[in-house]
Amino acid sequence: MQGESRRLLGRDIVAEEKVVVGGPVAVVTGRTGGGGTTTGRTTQGVKREWLPSFKLSSLLFFCVFLGAGVLGGVVVSLHMMGFLKTQGLYFSHFYSAMPESNVISRTRYEVSLPKDMPDEELLWRASMAPMRPGNPFGRTPKIAFMFLCVGPLPLAPVWEQFFLGHRGLYSIYVHAHPDFVPEIQPSSVFYGRHVSSQEVKWGDISIIDAERRLLGNALLDLSNERFILFSETCAPVFNFTFTYEYLTKAPQSFTAAYDDPGPYGRGRYLPGMLPEISIDQWRKGDQWFEVKRKHAIAIVADIKYYLKLRDYCKPNCYIDEHYIPTMLSIEFTAELANRSLTYVDWSRGGSHPAMFGKEDVTVDFLNQIRSGRNCPDIAQPGRACHLFARKFSPGCLEPLLKHSFFP
């Protein structure tokens, strides 16, 4: 019985294995279960000594651990590549405003417009602002001309003449009805400048959405410093050079914001706007605003005032007359000129300003608008009050081209 046990032990035990090259023969030695040794010869010139079997399991564990690490690294790398690709969508808008040495050619004057970007993402991107002072690359400040219209721009030839010879000093953005398909020649300054739009209803929150959509697109171009809103019935009354110097040198934004105690002012206020907006802070003004970049960023970034007016300034409140005047008046009272740069005629009465016809547009009429100097702000005494005018009917195109005196 004992002899049988020894034979079983000797057969089950595998001892060390070492491979040593260098002898003429291979000597294989092994330790048996009974304590003896066995010696054999081979003709391979290799010496082997048997290793414990637990080292094989250690090697297997190491290989599995290494494989898991490689697989994890691949997964993380793919995730980061996707993240960076997403972030690149944001930075690409800013890179396109940089000089040639960084990203693009200096001959490119306008940043391409994002297509079908949701409003929430557009406003989020547009609300970002550099915090570091100074400017690491040379750029020329531009004015963003934003047109809120239903369809075509009947006075487009007037604007074409106004912009002629000033490329690189302006940007153009057009918000029309989403079903409108513009037919514009590639040589036009309006070619390719229609932003992704949604339907707009007069007096509704959709007007504010459209205005913020225009501002959002314009803010993606870091060179835009001033932002002004027009309708399809607006036209300039000064040449571009005068307009550009006037706006780029102005320290404030030209937005009317006044306290109207009557039924069309305070009479539209609702207590539900508290505590964000008190009745003493409630303001009214013209829809056709002009703002500097700081205020444009504040408008697209705002949630607090937007939600209050969305919920409480319903039709018959006419939110476009209150949202921006109230918000900017609360946040930046001292930085507003408290007037509009766009001339309108209320002398004929009614709930809308007068619509000018072909017979109204004369040299004397335009000079009367240009000579206005009785502005409520004191930051620029003696300067023109209005740079633009509305409402011009399509029939005014010919006399405007004839009498505008654009260089």
Side-chain angles (χ1 to χ4, degrees):
M1 187 70 179
Q2 291 180 353
E4 183 66 22
S5 298
R6 288 184 178 181
R7 282 197 302 273
L8 291 173
L9 288 172
R11 190 168 52 190
D12 293 339
I13 294 177
V14 180
E16 284 192 313
E17 178 182 55
K18 289 186 180 179
V19 179
V20 181
V21 179
V25 296
V27 179
V28 180
T29 62
R31 184 172 299 168
T32 69
T37 60
T38 61
T39 303
R41 292 178 178 269
T42 72
T43 58
Q44 303 300 318
V46 180
K47 182 179 180 180
R48 297 183 180 178
E49 296 180 1
W50 297 96
L51 295 170
S53 60
F54 73 87
K55 291 195 174 181
L56 181 61
S57 61
S58 299
L59 179 62
L60 180 61
F61 174 78
F62 174 76
C63 292
V64 173
F65 181 79
L66 179 63
V70 171
L71 180 61
V74 171
V75 172
V76 172
S77 298
L78 292 175
H79 174 74
M80 290 302 297
M81 289 173 64
F83 171 78
L84 293 175
K85 182 178 180 180
T86 301
Q87 297 303 306
L89 293 175
Y90 164 69
F91 288 107
S92 63
H93 294 297
F94 294 97
Y95 290 155
S96 56
M98 293 183 179
E100 182 180 19
S101 59
N102 289 324
V103 174
I104 66 167
S105 170
R106 293 180 187 271
T107 60
R108 181 178 177 183
Y109 293 104
E110 291 185 327
V111 174
S112 59
L113 302 177
K115 298 298 182 182
D116 302 321
M117 182 180 292
D119 284 354
E120 189 68 22
E121 181 180 355
L122 173 66
L123 299 183
W124 177 81
R125 293 178 186 276
S127 64
M128 297 184 182
M131 299 298 293
R132 184 179 178 86
N135 184 5
F137 55 88
R139 69 180 177 92
T140 301
K142 295 194 298 184
I143 300 174
F145 291 80
M146 307 178 300
F147 294 85
L148 179 57
C149 56
V150 177
L153 296 170
L155 302 180
V158 176
W159 289 102
E160 295 271 7
Q161 188 171 339
F162 173 75
F163 291 123
L164 184 63
H166 302 286
R167 189 180 181 189
L169 299 179
Y170 63 87
S171 298
I172 295 174
Y173 306 87
V174 182
H175 188 292
H177 192 281
D179 294 336
F180 173 70
V181 180
E183 297 180 359
I184 303 174
Q185 295 296 321
S187 59
S188 171
V189 296
F190 294 98
Y191 183 78
R193 303 312 299 171
H194 282 69
V195 305
S196 297
S197 63
Q198 297 183 24
E199 185 177 0
V200 173
K201 296 181 180 179
W202 183 61
D204 185 69
I205 188 66
S206 60
I207 288 188
I208 303 302
D209 293 335
E211 293 174 358
R212 302 214 302 176
R213 204 172 291 127
L214 283 165
L215 284 172
N217 279 273
L219 283 166
L220 295 181
D221 187 341
L222 287 178
S223 294
N224 286 330
E225 287 291 341
R226 310 292 300 205
F227 306 79
I228 185 164
L229 182 68
F230 302 101
S231 72
E232 62 265 48
T233 65
C234 293
V237 296
F238 284 97
N239 63 37
F240 184 88
T241 300
F242 181 88
T243 302
Y244 181 84
E245 292 182 356
Y246 190 108
L247 292 178
T248 55
K249 292 180 179 179
Q252 71 278 75
S253 290
F254 295 93
T255 300
Y258 52 90
D259 183 5
D260 181 356
Y264 303 114
R266 291 199 176 202
R268 296 173 177 173
Y269 176 83
L270 291 176
M273 299 178 187
L274 288 169
E276 288 80 5
I277 306 170
S278 69
I279 192 169
D280 293 330
Q281 296 172 318
W282 183 245
R283 293 293 182 268
K284 183 179 179 179
D286 298 320
Q287 176 185 2
W288 314 104
F289 60 83
E290 190 281 335
V291 293
K292 58 184 181 180
R293 188 175 185 89
K294 172 184 176 181
H295 299 158
I297 292 174
I299 291 172
V300 302
D302 172 58
I303 296 177
K304 179 171 65 173
Y305 303 107
Y306 174 86
L307 294 178
K308 277 294 180 178
L309 271 75
R310 182 199 65 183
D311 295 340
Y312 293 97
C313 190
K314 301 292 186 178
N316 298 326
C317 173
Y318 304 108
I319 190 171
D320 54 289
E321 296 180 359
H322 296 282
Y323 169 62
I324 290 179
T326 298
M327 193 270 277
L328 292 184
S329 178
I330 294 174
E331 299 292 335
F332 309 101
T333 304
E335 300 177 22
L336 301 182
N338 199 23
R339 65 181 175 91
S340 173
L341 292 174
T342 303
Y343 173 85
V344 291
D345 181 8
W346 289 97
S347 64
R348 302 179 190 182
S351 58
H352 300 281
M355 174 70 78
F356 302 123
K358 181 178 181 179
E359 65 281 357
D360 295 316
V361 183
T362 63
V363 173
D364 290 340
F365 170 75
L366 294 175
N367 283 338
Q368 181 182 356
I369 298 175
R370 296 184 183 112
S371 61
R373 295 293 187 272
N374 187 24
C375 307
D377 63 300
I378 60 174
Q380 295 177 305
R383 301 213 58 186
C385 292
H386 301 104
L387 303 180
F388 313 94
R390 64 182 297 267
K391 305 166 57 171
F392 293 104
S393 66
C396 296
L397 175 60
E398 182 180 349
L400 282 172
L401 289 171
K402 181 179 180 180
H403 302 307
S404 291
F405 308 111
F406 297 131

Short mmCIF file of all heavy atoms in Angstrom, two decimals, residues 258-269 279 282 284 322:
data_model
loop_
_atom_site.label_atom_id
_atom_site.label_comp_id
_atom_site.label_asym_id
_atom_site.label_seq_id
_atom_site.Cartn_x
_atom_site.Cartn_y
_atom_site.Cartn_z
N TYR A 258 -38.91 103.99 -21.29
CA TYR A 258 -39.52 105.07 -20.52
C TYR A 258 -40.72 104.54 -19.73
O TYR A 258 -41.31 103.50 -20.05
CB TYR A 258 -39.96 106.22 -21.43
CG TYR A 258 -40.82 105.81 -22.61
CD1 TYR A 258 -42.20 105.78 -22.50
CD2 TYR A 258 -40.24 105.47 -23.82
CE1 TYR A 258 -43.01 105.40 -23.56
CE2 TYR A 258 -41.03 105.10 -24.91
CZ TYR A 258 -42.41 105.07 -24.77
OH TYR A 258 -43.19 104.69 -25.83
N ASP A 259 -41.05 105.28 -18.69
CA ASP A 259 -42.16 104.92 -17.80
C ASP A 259 -43.42 105.60 -18.30
O ASP A 259 -43.57 106.82 -18.22
CB ASP A 259 -41.83 105.37 -16.38
CG ASP A 259 -42.91 104.97 -15.37
OD1 ASP A 259 -43.86 104.27 -15.77
OD2 ASP A 259 -42.79 105.36 -14.20
N ASP A 260 -44.33 104.81 -18.86
CA ASP A 260 -45.59 105.33 -19.38
C ASP A 260 -46.68 105.06 -18.34
O ASP A 260 -47.06 103.90 -18.12
CB ASP A 260 -45.93 104.63 -20.70
CG ASP A 260 -47.23 105.14 -21.31
OD1 ASP A 260 -47.92 105.96 -20.67
OD2 ASP A 260 -47.57 104.68 -22.42
N PRO A 261 -47.20 106.10 -17.69
CA PRO A 261 -48.19 105.89 -16.62
C PRO A 261 -49.59 105.53 -17.15
O PRO A 261 -50.47 105.18 -16.36
CB PRO A 261 -48.22 107.24 -15.90
CG PRO A 261 -47.83 108.23 -16.96
CD PRO A 261 -46.85 107.52 -17.86
N GLY A 262 -49.81 105.61 -18.44
CA GLY A 262 -51.13 105.40 -19.02
C GLY A 262 -51.50 103.93 -19.19
O GLY A 262 -50.75 103.01 -18.79
N PRO A 263 -52.64 103.69 -19.82
CA PRO A 263 -53.14 102.32 -19.98
C PRO A 263 -52.27 101.46 -20.90
O PRO A 263 -52.33 100.23 -20.83
CB PRO A 263 -54.54 102.52 -20.58
CG PRO A 263 -54.48 103.87 -21.23
CD PRO A 263 -53.58 104.69 -20.38
N TYR A 264 -51.48 102.09 -21.77
CA TYR A 264 -50.61 101.33 -22.69
C TYR A 264 -49.19 101.18 -22.15
O TYR A 264 -48.32 100.68 -22.85
CB TYR A 264 -50.58 102.02 -24.05
CG TYR A 264 -51.96 102.18 -24.66
CD1 TYR A 264 -52.50 103.45 -24.85
CD2 TYR A 264 -52.72 101.06 -24.99
CE1 TYR A 264 -53.78 103.61 -25.39
CE2 TYR A 264 -54.00 101.21 -25.52
CZ TYR A 264 -54.52 102.48 -25.72
OH TYR A 264 -55.78 102.63 -26.23
N GLY A 265 -49.00 101.62 -20.90
CA GLY A 265 -47.71 101.44 -20.24
C GLY A 265 -47.91 100.65 -18.96
O GLY A 265 -47.95 99.42 -18.97
N ARG A 266 -48.07 101.37 -17.85
CA ARG A 266 -48.31 100.69 -16.56
C ARG A 266 -49.61 99.90 -16.56
O ARG A 266 -49.75 98.94 -15.79
CB ARG A 266 -48.32 101.72 -15.43
CG ARG A 266 -46.95 102.34 -15.14
CD ARG A 266 -46.92 102.96 -13.76
NE ARG A 266 -45.59 103.48 -13.43
CZ ARG A 266 -45.17 103.68 -12.17
NH1 ARG A 266 -45.97 103.41 -11.15
NH2 ARG A 266 -43.96 104.14 -11.94
N GLY A 267 -50.51 100.29 -17.44
CA GLY A 267 -51.77 99.56 -17.52
C GLY A 267 -51.61 98.12 -18.00
O GLY A 267 -52.51 97.30 -17.81
N ARG A 268 -50.49 97.80 -18.58
CA ARG A 268 -50.22 96.43 -19.04
C ARG A 268 -49.46 95.59 -18.01
O ARG A 268 -49.27 94.40 -18.22
CB ARG A 268 -49.40 96.48 -20.34
CG ARG A 268 -50.12 97.13 -21.51
CD ARG A 268 -49.19 97.30 -22.70
NE ARG A 268 -49.87 97.86 -23.86
CZ ARG A 268 -49.25 98.24 -24.98
NH1 ARG A 268 -47.93 98.11 -25.07
NH2 ARG A 268 -49.93 98.74 -25.99
N TYR A 269 -49.08 96.21 -16.94
CA TYR A 269 -48.32 95.49 -15.91
C TYR A 269 -49.25 94.60 -15.09
O TYR A 269 -50.39 94.95 -14.80
CB TYR A 269 -47.61 96.49 -14.98
CG TYR A 269 -46.88 95.85 -13.83
CD1 TYR A 269 -45.60 95.35 -14.00
CD2 TYR A 269 -47.49 95.73 -12.57
CE1 TYR A 269 -44.92 94.74 -12.94
CE2 TYR A 269 -46.83 95.13 -11.52
CZ TYR A 269 -45.54 94.64 -11.71
OH TYR A 269 -44.88 94.03 -10.66
N ILE A 279 -43.75 97.38 -10.53
CA ILE A 279 -44.42 98.31 -11.43
C ILE A 279 -43.58 99.56 -11.67
O ILE A 279 -43.65 100.18 -12.73
CB ILE A 279 -45.82 98.69 -10.89
CG1 ILE A 279 -46.62 99.41 -11.98
CG2 ILE A 279 -45.70 99.52 -9.60
CD1 ILE A 279 -48.08 99.60 -11.65
N TRP A 282 -41.22 98.75 -14.55
CA TRP A 282 -41.85 98.41 -15.82
C TRP A 282 -41.62 99.51 -16.85
O TRP A 282 -41.88 100.68 -16.59
CB TRP A 282 -43.34 98.20 -15.57
CG TRP A 282 -44.16 97.76 -16.75
CD1 TRP A 282 -45.16 98.47 -17.35
CD2 TRP A 282 -44.10 96.51 -17.44
NE1 TRP A 282 -45.72 97.75 -18.37
CE2 TRP A 282 -45.08 96.53 -18.46
CE3 TRP A 282 -43.31 95.38 -17.30
CZ2 TRP A 282 -45.30 95.47 -19.32
CZ3 TRP A 282 -43.52 94.31 -18.15
CH2 TRP A 282 -44.50 94.36 -19.15
N LYS A 284 -41.44 100.79 -21.21
CA LYS A 284 -41.95 100.65 -22.57
C LYS A 284 -40.97 101.31 -23.52
O LYS A 284 -40.25 102.25 -23.14
CB LYS A 284 -43.33 101.31 -22.69
CG LYS A 284 -43.99 101.16 -24.05
CD LYS A 284 -45.36 101.83 -24.06
CE LYS A 284 -46.01 101.71 -25.44
NZ LYS A 284 -47.36 102.33 -25.48
N HIS A 322 -41.93 95.85 -24.42
CA HIS A 322 -41.61 95.89 -22.99
C HIS A 322 -40.42 95.04 -22.57
O HIS A 322 -39.72 95.41 -21.62
CB HIS A 322 -42.85 95.45 -22.18
CG HIS A 322 -44.01 96.35 -22.32
ND1 HIS A 322 -44.11 97.55 -21.64
CD2 HIS A 322 -45.14 96.26 -23.08
CE1 HIS A 322 -45.25 98.16 -21.96
NE2 HIS A 322 -45.89 97.39 -22.83
#
